[in-house]
Amino acid sequence: CFDGVAGVEPQTETVWRQANKYKVPRMCFVNKMDRTGADFYKCVSMIEKQLDTTPLLLQLPIGAEADFIGIINVVDSTAVIWENDDLGATFKVYPIDDAPIPEEKKAECKEARAKLIELAVEHDEDALMAYLEGEEPTIGTIKRCIRKGCIAQSFTPITLGSAFKNKGVQTLLDAVIDYMPS
């Protein structure tokens, strides 16, 4: 769990080194995206450089700080938008093309999804061959490949949210079930 404002902190580096030593698969949650100074991309950059890992963006933020209203799920190209200030209880899920978000966010999702698929399919020979032949992998195939890569520690899946307001916690738990070892 990373602070969206502070990024990688010394204790995190210590725990990360220990996880490396014992070959423990892991994923990241960039927390406190609703706080002043939150910067998801800066935090991801710090994770990549300071922890020497390849980030796999499972989600992208919609807004930041006081304007943090939701997340984009890169795997299935949907947007989760919280409508009220009821601690994340009320939200709507939109297909990315129908989501009430800026067009540049939709384009960013398409670019991040292409990168995610390229990294993920490397862990399944059949999926890789189909992808190289121009076939778009199914969501099930993508999830299976991400799980294999996560367990092999080839990359680190990254999610985000605001735990205090219970925003992004549901999608984090879904990701834990989908990608982490039992």
Side-chain angles (χ1 to χ4, degrees), residues 135-152:
E135 186 179 317
E136 180 79 9
T138 65
I139 292 173
T141 301
I142 294 169
K143 286 183 176 184
R144 187 179 72 247
C145 293
I146 292 172
R147 180 179 169 86
K148 285 182 179 179
C150 180
I151 291 170

Side-chain angles (χ1 to χ4, degrees), residues 18-27 150-151 153 180-181:
Q18 190 170 19
N20 282 343
K21 178 180 177 182
Y22 293 105
K23 298 181 181 0
V24 177
R26 67 213 86 143
M27 62 189 314
C150 180
I151 291 170
Q153 300 173 44
M180 298 304 291

Side-chain angles (χ1 to χ4, degrees), residues 5-179:
V5 179
V8 176
E9 297 178 276
Q11 185 63 32
T12 306
E13 290 180 277
T14 302
V15 172
W16 196 273
R17 281 193 301 273
Q18 190 170 19
N20 282 343
K21 178 180 177 182
Y22 293 105
K23 298 181 181 0
V24 177
R26 67 213 86 143
M27 62 189 314
C28 300
F29 180 72
V30 179
N31 193 22
K32 302 180 183 178
M33 286 301 300
D34 58 338
R35 286 194 40 214
T36 302
D39 187 340
F40 175 72
Y41 300 101
K42 181 185 100 182
C43 191
V44 169
S45 176
M46 290 176 77
I47 291 168
E48 182 176 20
K49 289 181 178 104
Q50 290 179 260
L51 303 178
D52 192 32
T53 188
T54 302
L56 183 76
L57 302 181
L58 298 179
Q59 301 172 350
L60 301 173
I62 302 172
E65 301 178 346
D67 297 328
F68 178 65
I69 61 164
I71 60 162
I72 295 172
N73 184 333
V74 176
V75 175
D76 65 6
S77 295
T78 58
V80 178
I81 298 177
W82 294 280
E83 309 233 315
N84 300 322
D85 205 14
D86 56 2
L87 297 178
T90 307
F91 59 90
K92 285 192 179 175
V93 180
Y94 299 89
I96 194 69
D97 293 328
D98 298 335
I101 59 174
E103 288 299 318
E104 58 267 8
K105 278 290 179 190
K106 295 175 184 179
E108 185 180 343
C109 174
K110 287 178 181 24
E111 185 180 315
R113 190 167 195 275
K115 288 179 185 176
L116 178 140
I117 290 171
E118 286 178 15
L119 277 173
V121 297
E122 291 177 358
H123 295 89
D124 185 292
E125 193 171 320
D126 293 334
L128 178 59
M129 294 310 293
Y131 179 71
L132 292 175
E133 291 172 2
E135 186 179 317
E136 180 79 9
T138 65
I139 292 173
T141 301
I142 294 169
K143 286 183 176 184
R144 187 179 72 247
C145 293
I146 292 172
R147 180 179 169 86
K148 285 182 179 179
C150 180
I151 291 170
Q153 300 173 44
S154 301
F155 47 71
T156 305
I158 299 180
T159 63
L160 64 111
S162 172
F164 180 70
K165 293 186 178 172
N166 202 28
K167 294 181 176 180
V169 175
Q170 302 94 329
T171 54
L172 168 66
L173 293 174
D174 290 342
V176 168
I177 290 167
D178 288 340
Y179 309 122

